[in-house]
Amino acid sequence: MPRADLVVYNIGELVTFRGGPTPRPSPETAGILRNAAVAFRGGRIIEVGPTGWIRARYSAPEWVDAGSRLATPGLVDMHTHALFAGSREDEFEAKLMGASYSEILARGGGIYRTIEATRRSSRRELLRLLLERLYRMLEGGTTVVEVKTGYALEPRLEVEHLSIIREAGGLTPQLVVPTLLAHVPPREGDRGAYIESFKAAIREAARRRLAVYFDVFCDRGAFTPEESKALLLEAHRAGLRLRMHADQLEYMGCSLVAAEAGVDSVDHLEVMPPENATALAKARVVAGLLPTSILAMMQAERPPVDSLRRAGVPIAVGSDYNPNNMTPLAQTAMQVAPYILKLTPMEALAAVTVNAAASLGLEGVSGRVAPGFRGDLVVWDAEDYRWLTYEWGWNKALYVIAAGRVVVSESRLIVKPVLM
Ligand code: NIG
Ligand code: FE
């Protein structure tokens, strides 16, 4: 009898996404199995099949009864700024009294505020904060998470922050994907010189294998399309994979730079002209949409979801967790995606699993429930995929399996209602 480390069985509805990333997720093509089971060994999924079959076939020390509920791949958060110190609740209040994000940034608040707080923190404190946040994400079903730098400003310190992200990655069962982010230029001084020293940081990050991705915030108040191009080119030459923040605040052509540069993911796109979707499709770029960021920005614009769909651009969704948008869960981003972006329930689920994995270059590693993939799975307090977004506002992850281990078990509520 073959041996497994863990079997999850009696899954009422298992969404596997075994067909891979797609611009048109639908219930017909999502690879839904009924009454299914998943066997794990050595941190990976080794088999997926009918409960009866898997139960008869495997011996395993640990069995989880999913109680006929819904299970999906572990969530992949494809866009976070989780390495930061300090907070900005006063700016939150100021925004509600009429101040804009750009005004706050221009007067040295916003990202610059967080840079100050982050630079004042010790390495140990930053590591502690990041780990706490990663574990909170795990509770919400996030088993793969991209984490960006971007609050060091000084390029050499950005590289050191990458090493904190790497260290945290070794201390959690999640797969952590480190990204070097060129976030904002210094408020004073020579921009050209700053770009040159950032290029040196890119080379250093690649040489020390600290970053997988390079990202640049191309927008008003951040980097111009020309500066972004120069940095992306340097990162490409150094062997880093590319992603981008584009067309969030003001349209300056940044999404076209993303298409030209052949990035894996171009994120935000709230003000992207709809016609740019064809260029993204041609360049096989994933669109990373960030619905909770739209809320936190109190922004009226929406990314052109219909045009992205029609052009065949796969849509991913991320939390964009940062001090301006204090939403650590990809689950929350998924929950609000239908309401803010008009994604269907299946599009929203694909956006935080299979398509999010593709946006991180992990299409063969995570985002699906299939043999050989990372041993990540979430059993939800729901029986149908539509209930993940139809009813929302609370954490529905009942069991979380990360790298083949049960890390969250039915444990939160210890008082159950009693029916008389
Ligand atoms: O993705 N747009 C730029 N960066 C972040 C915000 C970071 C911050 O405000 O600290 C974002 O929304
Ligand atoms: Fe961001």
Side-chain angles (χ1 to χ4, degrees):
M1 198 179 234
R3 214 182 43 78
D5 300 331
L6 166 71
V7 172
V8 181
Y9 66 99
N10 204 8
I11 300 168
E13 178 170 297
L14 175 63
V15 184
T16 66
F17 290 119
R18 62 175 169 232
T22 167
R24 285 181 199 80
S26 78
E28 292 71 39
T29 58
I32 296 180
L33 303 177
R34 309 273 164 209
N35 197 14
V38 182
F40 301 84
R41 191 170 61 222
R44 290 176 185 276
I45 294 169
I46 52 170
E47 195 162 352
V48 182
T51 283
W53 161 258
I54 299 280
R55 286 187 81 170
R57 188 168 147 72
Y58 283 94
S59 76
E62 195 173 4
W63 296 78
V64 171
D65 180 352
S68 293
R69 294 189 185 85
L70 168 74
T72 70
L75 304 190
V76 177
D77 197 336
M78 47 77 64
H79 184 135
T80 86
H81 304 254
L83 182 66
F84 65 87
S87 61
R88 306 200 317 238
E89 64 277 20
D90 51 342
E91 292 180 3
F92 171 56
E93 208 164 42
K95 276 189 296 174
L96 286 161
M97 311 216 357
S100 83
Y101 181 83
S102 297
E103 278 160 26
I104 294 171
L105 186 64
R107 60 169 189 253
I111 296 172
Y112 293 109
R113 262 280 283 306
T114 300
I115 286 169
E116 274 169 38
T118 306
R119 290 169 60 115
R120 274 198 306 271
S121 302
S122 66
R123 179 184 175 96
R124 199 179 160 72
E125 175 64 0
L126 289 173
L127 180 62
R128 189 189 65 76
L129 285 167
L130 177 56
L131 266 180
E132 229 169 61
R133 290 166 188 155
L134 290 172
Y135 275 80
R136 165 135 318 144
M137 293 178 190
L138 200 53
E139 260 190 304
T142 302
T143 54
V144 175
V145 50
E146 186 255 17
V147 180
K148 302 175 199 296
T149 67
Y151 296 115
L153 193 63
E154 211 265 295
R156 259 190 317 219
L157 192 57
E158 293 286 353
V159 177
E160 288 320 304
H161 283 189
L162 277 173
S163 76
I164 301 177
I165 298 171
R166 277 282 189 211
E167 191 174 344
L171 296 170
T172 161
Q174 291 146 313
L175 174 61
V176 174
V177 180
T179 295
L180 175 65
L181 169 64
H183 210 174
V184 284
R187 296 184 68 221
E188 275 143 32
D190 181 348
R191 279 176 88 107
Y194 183 76
I195 301 276
E196 286 314 308
S197 67
F198 213 99
K199 285 185 187 166
I202 288 171
R203 294 191 295 270
E204 163 106 352
R207 192 179 55 74
R208 290 171 58 191
R209 298 190 178 284
L210 290 173
V212 173
Y213 275 96
F214 171 74
D215 185 349
V216 56
F217 181 18
C218 180
D219 219 309
R220 176 179 70 220
F223 293 96
T224 66
E226 284 311 312
E227 290 166 337
S228 302
K229 255 190 229 175
L231 290 167
L232 288 162
L233 187 63
E234 188 73 22
H236 175 72
R237 284 204 193 112
L240 298 182
R241 305 185 73 128
L242 308 178
R243 49 202 316 104
M244 234 177 129
H245 281 70
D247 302 358
Q248 179 188 17
L249 305 170
E250 181 180 308
Y251 183 64
M252 311 191 307
C254 296
S255 49
L256 294 179
V257 173
E260 267 175 52
V263 300
D264 289 346
S265 188
V266 61
D267 304 351
H268 281 290
L269 308 181
E270 287 85 354
V271 300
M272 181 179 93
E275 61 271 18
N276 287 11
T278 31
L280 296 185
K282 233 185 250 155
R284 305 178 70 79
V285 177
V286 176
L289 308 185
L290 308 168
T292 56
S293 156
I294 294 176
L295 290 181
M297 287 280 177
M298 296 158 199
Q299 191 168 7
E301 298 95 341
R302 294 289 180 273
V305 169
D306 261 343
S307 305
L308 291 168
R309 260 194 209 113
R310 255 183 279 119
V313 178
I315 293 175
V317 160
S319 71
D320 196 17
Y321 181 34
N322 72 66
N324 183 59
N325 173 30
M326 293 290 275
T327 55
L329 303 190
Q331 186 186 159
T332 309
M334 168 185 71
Q335 288 181 346
V336 300
Y339 303 96
I340 295 172
L341 303 173
K342 302 222 160 52
L343 298 191
T344 66
M346 189 54 84
E347 283 177 325
L349 178 57
V352 291
T353 53
V354 67
N355 286 358
S359 86
L360 288 171
L362 297 172
E363 51 271 59
V365 175
S366 99
R368 295 185 228 183
V369 185
F373 277 70
R374 253 181 73 90
D376 297 344
L377 190 81
V378 183
V379 177
W380 300 95
D381 200 347
E383 289 180 7
D384 170 320
Y385 72 90
R386 290 168 296 196
W387 278 76
L388 287 179
T389 44
Y390 167 56
E391 182 195 40
W392 58 286
W394 54 287
N395 179 7
K396 299 188 163 191
L398 201 57
Y399 293 91
V400 179
I401 289 110
R405 268 173 48 208
V406 181
V407 295
V408 174
S409 162
E410 194 167 0
S411 60
R412 286 187 308 272
L413 197 61
I414 56 168
V415 182
K416 296 269 181 203
V418 182
L419 198 60
M420 294 296 178

